[in-house]
Amino acid sequence: MPAAQPLPILCFPDPRLHTVARPVAAVDERIRLLVDRMFATMYEANGIGLAATQVDVHERLVVIDVSEERNQPMVLINPEIEWASPEKRKGEEGCLSVPGIYDGVERSIAVRVRALDTAGQSRTVEAEGMLAVCIQHEMDHLLGKVFVEYLSPLKRDRIKSKLLKAQREAQRA
Ligand code: GNR
Ligand code: NI
């Protein structure tokens, strides 16, 4: 099977990143093809997760692989948080849609999520550590939320200016 074609990733402050995704209506061949292309995009960019929002598809679908060996793909379709630990921890985050920016975000240290897999089967995932952080980060994307929105307005504006300038310069080159 030929490797799927990666998709372009939207970059902050692209307004399309603030679109609220709708549920996937049916887990069909179109969705499985999109999943393949999202994994190709995520692995090419060396990310640990990717939400459909980031490739300008506004449906509730994320792909994740937090493994060192890059061989534990996970697909969450129509994910819903069933439980999130009240205990939170602040950890350094980055985002493929906010290249080169890293900052601390508070997240629940553990979550339980219910989602469909690529066979359309409902499953629950219990996560802690990096996987729990990644799931919460990806589910925010589906709600149109980028991690920089947790930072102070001053920091967010500086990040916005920096990325807009970088995008203008990339355009000219
Ligand atoms: O690749 C990614 N790394 C990462 C590191 C810390 C917290 C969250 C993430 S997710 C990010 C990929 C991405 O942007 N997914 O939306
Ligand atoms: Ni992200």
Side-chain angles (χ1 to χ4, degrees), residues 34-106:
L34 176 59
V35 164
D36 287 348
R37 295 192 71 180
M38 285 175 60
F39 274 120
T41 309
M42 182 193 80
Y43 286 126
E44 184 187 63
N46 295 314
I48 60 170
L50 187 74
T53 308
Q54 294 175 276
V55 293
D56 204 20
V57 174
H58 303 287
E59 298 182 58
R60 295 186 57 82
L61 166 61
V62 312
V63 299
I64 292 175
D65 188 342
V66 296
S67 71
E68 204 73 56
E69 305 77 19
R70 320 291 287 144
N71 61 1
Q72 284 175 53
M74 173 182 288
V75 180
L76 302 176
I77 300 170
N78 296 342
E80 298 295 341
I81 299 268
E82 283 190 342
W83 175 81
S85 68
E87 189 184 345
K88 297 188 176 195
R89 189 173 300 152
K90 193 169 193 166
E92 192 90 334
E93 296 200 11
C95 181
L96 295 176
S97 295
V98 195
I101 307 290
Y102 303 87
D103 213 325
V105 178
E106 274 215 348

Side-chain angles (χ1 to χ4, degrees), residues 13 159-172:
I159 292 166
K160 194 183 285 189
S161 304
K162 184 173 173 176
L163 291 182
L164 280 173
K165 180 161 178 275
Q167 284 161 35
R168 278 196 305 273
E169 278 163 10
Q171 196 92 58
R172 288 194 312 124

